[in-house]
């Protein structure tokens, strides 16, 4: 989860988030190279006093500074298209979870698992424990098995919300009358936090998302105990 003075990404717990971090580093490397080159050329132009009164055109340099940006754009576009298709990949999910945004809480449905349904509200400050996080804990958390592909369906009951867990690299808008889908594949057990990322009203800041990733045996026991 995010901590104080943290400027980097959260640790990736899904293949999608790993790809997003690598794409970020790849793009930042290209931008850094461009910035250094531009600063060097501007500095050299400012420092030297040479002029060429007979210079009318420079076809070679114009060809170079036309082709190089095109090549750099291709180097950025290809991996971004790959990630775009990976984000939309939801083939053969074993579990389907539906998240419905309300003002101001989330409700969840495991439609294909004994019709499990529950609401998830933020825990009040006076009810959280010493080892829990203020504004991030919820009374009912999502339970999902790790290394199992899950489809997430997001919609809204009233206004536009956004279901987001940064560590999983997932952010899906929930719009009234429309269902958007994405995929979740957690690679390790743990508890992951998120919040609504769309300004949805006065209590927008109090819509936490809390997901616990467990092994398959614990997940089956949770289903049995819930019913």
């Amino acid at each position: 989860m995010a901590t104080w003075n943290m400027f980097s990404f959260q640790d990736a717990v899904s293949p999608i988030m790993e790809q997003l971090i690598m794409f970020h580093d790849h793009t930042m490397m290209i931008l850094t190279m461009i910035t250094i080159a531009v600063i060097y050329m501007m500095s050299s132009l400012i420092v030297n006093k040479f002029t060429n009164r007979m210079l009318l055109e420079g076809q070679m340099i114009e060809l170079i500074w036309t082709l190089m940006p095109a090549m750099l754009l291709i180097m950025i576009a290809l991996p971004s298209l790959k990630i775009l298709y990976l984000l939309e990949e939801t083939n053969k999910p074993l579990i389907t979870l539906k998240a419905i945004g309300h003002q101001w809480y989330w409700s969840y449905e495991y439609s294909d698992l004994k019709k499990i349904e529950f609401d998830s509200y933020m825990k009040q400050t006076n009810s959280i424990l010493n080892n829990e996080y203020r504004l991030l804990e919820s009374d009912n958390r999502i339970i999902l098995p790790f290394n199992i592909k899950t489809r997430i369906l997001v919609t809204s009951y009233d206004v536009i919300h956004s279901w987001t867990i940064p560590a999983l690299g997932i952010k899906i808008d929930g719009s009234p009358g429309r269902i958007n889908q994405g995929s979740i594949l957690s690679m390790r057990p743990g508890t992951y936090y998120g919040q609504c990322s769309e300004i949805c009203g006065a209590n927008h800041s109090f819509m936490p998302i809390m997901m616990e990733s467990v092994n398959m045996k614990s997940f089956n026991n949770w289903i049995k105990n819930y019913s």
Side-chain angles (χ1 to χ4, degrees):
M1 62 173 291
T3 56
W4 293 105
N5 297 326
M6 183 176 179
F7 295 101
S8 60
F9 292 102
Q10 298 183 26
D11 293 337
V13 293
S14 70
I16 293 296
M17 191 58 187
E18 288 182 348
Q19 292 290 329
L20 289 171
I21 291 175
M22 287 190 288
F23 175 68
H24 170 267
D25 296 342
H26 170 76
T27 307
M28 288 304 297
M29 180 190 67
I30 294 176
L31 293 178
T32 303
M33 293 169 55
I34 294 173
T35 304
I36 292 173
V38 170
I39 291 175
Y40 170 76
M41 287 187 288
M42 291 178 64
S43 302
S44 62
L45 288 173
I46 294 172
V47 171
N48 77 74
K49 303 297 182 181
F50 298 111
T51 58
N52 189 341
R53 295 184 296 113
M54 309 305 294
L55 181 64
L56 297 177
E57 61 179 348
Q59 294 184 358
M60 181 56 68
I61 189 63
E62 290 179 1
L63 179 65
I64 291 173
W65 70 41
T66 300
L67 292 179
M68 285 188 64
M71 293 173 60
L72 293 174
L73 288 175
I74 292 173
M75 292 174 62
I76 296 174
L78 291 179
S80 65
L81 288 174
K82 175 186 174 183
I83 295 175
L84 184 63
Y85 281 101
L86 287 175
L87 288 171
E88 299 295 329
E89 187 68 30
T90 54
N91 288 337
K92 299 180 180 179
L94 296 180
I95 301 172
T96 298
L97 172 68
K98 185 177 182 181
I100 305 171
H102 303 263
Q103 288 183 315
W104 288 271
Y105 65 96
W106 295 98
S107 59
Y108 298 100
E109 299 177 6
Y110 292 77
S111 303
D112 50 357
L113 296 174
K114 298 184 179 180
K115 201 65 176 178
I116 297 176
E117 300 178 1
F118 57 86
D119 296 332
S120 179
Y121 290 86
M122 184 193 74
K123 276 191 176 183
Q124 299 298 319
T125 303
N126 56 9
S127 62
I128 61 175
L129 304 177
N130 291 332
N131 60 341
E132 294 181 338
Y133 300 101
R134 178 177 172 269
L135 302 181
L136 290 177
E137 299 286 337
S138 58
D139 54 358
N140 290 311
R141 63 182 66 181
I142 310 164
I143 307 294
L144 288 176
F146 62 88
N147 288 332
I148 298 295
K149 195 163 190 178
T150 304
R151 177 174 59 181
I152 172 76
L153 304 176
V154 183
T155 186
S156 173
Y157 184 78
D158 34 50
V159 298
I160 298 177
H161 300 277
S162 186
W163 196 88
T164 307
I165 298 182
L168 294 173
I170 185 168
K171 180 180 183 294
I172 305 175
D173 288 340
S175 304
R178 178 174 178 176
I179 296 178
N180 296 323
Q181 75 169 1
S183 62
I184 299 175
L185 180 59
S186 175
M187 298 185 298
R188 61 182 68 93
T191 304
Y192 310 111
Y193 299 91
Q195 290 177 302
C196 176
S197 298
E198 187 74 31
I199 298 177
C200 56
N203 291 331
H204 157 70
S205 302
F206 310 115
M207 288 182 64
I209 301 164
M210 187 177 180
M211 191 194 91
E212 184 176 356
S213 182
V214 299
N215 57 40
M216 198 64 188
K217 182 179 179 181
S218 300
F219 179 70
N220 291 330
N221 291 334
W222 175 75
I223 294 174
K224 293 176 183 178
N225 294 332
Y226 190 89
S227 57

